Amino acid sequence: MSTIKLLVTGYKGRMGQAIIDCASRDDQVEVAAQIDIGDSLADALPLCDTIIDFTHHSFTTELVSAAADAGKNLVIGTTGHTAEELAVIQDASAKTGIVMAPNFSIGVNTLFWLTAKAAATLGPDFDLEVVEMHHNQKTDAPSGTAKRLAEILADARNLSYDKDTRHGRQGDVGARTQNEIGVHSLRGGDVVGDHTVVLATDGERIELTHRASNRNTFAGGAVRSARWLASQPAGLYDMQDVLNLKD
């Protein structure tokens, strides 16, 4: 297989730097171009085969549309997309390969799989809660990973993420309902990313936890996704596809 040429967007950020470092140690890929929001995307696109994007969801429409028109594969690690931006991504996947995931860690994606199995096995007698913590500079909440965990729990119980998720509790909120999925966000220090799924019932409690100590695990998953996309047809994929974790 020929070397995959990467365009890294958001290269000045912490994730961008981690991806560049990871790619430099992988002989199957090469960082051919790197830009930030505001730099010339048109100049960088011809230099690459695949784009890895960890910028901001406001850049999505421009980036995804240009990538699809140019036939460039795309790995999207940005979170917080609007419904309109998600529609653009869906439409673009008819033209090119896209891997989009809230978290590219192999461990977190195993946590996704374990969460689905645990919720389905334990059944409705177990209360469901998600707790996440990130560094004090993170601007969105809950994290994309926590949202995905809550969506997985909702799917396992035939619930609705939009209707049945409760983000934090304050005041006299009443007793917890059986269909409630609690999601709680903590911010502080330089925490890269901690996520815990709590499944609790009378007499026992199960906690599934993943803690990231550095960004290399996410960068490695993103680069792995870029390699995987090189042999896939156009379509919208996630890390569960890349890791072959889907039943």
Side-chain angles (χ1 to χ4, degrees):
M1 178 185 295
S2 59
T3 301
I4 300 167
K5 297 185 182 300
L6 302 178
L7 164 59
V8 178
T9 63
Y11 79 96
K12 292 180 181 177
R14 285 180 277 193
M15 270 306 303
Q17 287 296 305
I19 290 165
I20 291 169
D21 179 63
C22 180
S24 72
R25 292 179 276 106
D26 189 323
D27 59 10
Q28 295 183 53
V29 302
E30 171 193 347
V31 177
Q34 43 193 302
I35 64 170
D36 268 320
I37 296 176
D39 296 337
S40 175
L41 178 60
D43 289 343
L45 273 178
L47 304 176
C48 76
D49 306 308
T50 302
I51 304 163
I52 299 182
D53 178 52
F54 281 83
T55 52
H56 189 270
H57 67 87
S58 61
F59 186 44
T60 294
T61 298
E62 177 187 352
L63 177 64
V64 173
S65 297
D69 290 343
K72 308 296 184 180
N73 288 331
L74 187 61
V75 176
I76 302 175
T78 308
T79 59
H81 295 101
T82 66
E84 291 78 10
E85 290 161 353
L86 291 173
V88 170
I89 294 169
Q90 183 67 57
D91 290 345
S93 68
K95 297 180 179 180
T96 193
I98 300 174
V99 173
M100 182 172 70
N103 194 306
F104 282 87
S105 158
I106 295 172
V108 162
N109 279 275
T110 303
L111 175 62
F112 290 160
W113 184 83
L114 290 169
T115 296
K117 295 297 182 184
T121 300
L122 296 173
D125 290 338
F126 279 74
D127 297 325
L128 308 175
E129 301 279 316
V130 178
V131 181
E132 58 100 344
M133 183 170 185
H134 284 80
H135 55 87
N136 57 23
Q137 298 301 301
K138 185 170 178 61
T139 59
D140 61 316
S143 68
T145 300
K147 182 175 185 290
R148 183 64 191 129
L149 286 166
E151 290 171 341
I152 290 169
L153 292 171
D155 289 344
R157 291 284 181 83
N158 293 316
L159 301 174
S160 165
Y161 174 85
D162 292 330
K163 294 179 180 179
D164 297 314
T165 300
R166 175 170 288 187
H167 296 276
R169 299 182 178 89
Q170 180 179 4
D172 187 4
V173 298
R176 192 190 194 285
T177 66
Q178 187 179 42
N179 290 343
E180 191 172 306
I181 301 173
V183 179
H184 314 277
S185 298
L186 311 180
R187 296 290 178 267
D190 60 354
V191 177
V192 173
D194 295 351
H195 294 87
T196 297
V197 178
V198 180
L199 305 99
T201 192
D202 293 348
E204 60 181 332
R205 180 176 75 251
I206 294 172
E207 296 184 3
L208 303 173
T209 297
H210 178 273
R211 293 187 176 92
S213 57
N214 62 60
R215 290 173 176 78
N216 292 340
T217 181
F218 312 128
V223 172
R224 179 171 176 170
S225 296
R227 296 199 312 265
W228 181 84
L229 268 179
S231 60
Q232 304 304 315
L236 182 58
Y237 306 98
D238 61 21
M239 273 298 286
Q240 301 288 297
D241 295 304
V242 176
L243 299 174
N244 196 28
L245 288 175
K246 290 186 174 178
D247 293 334

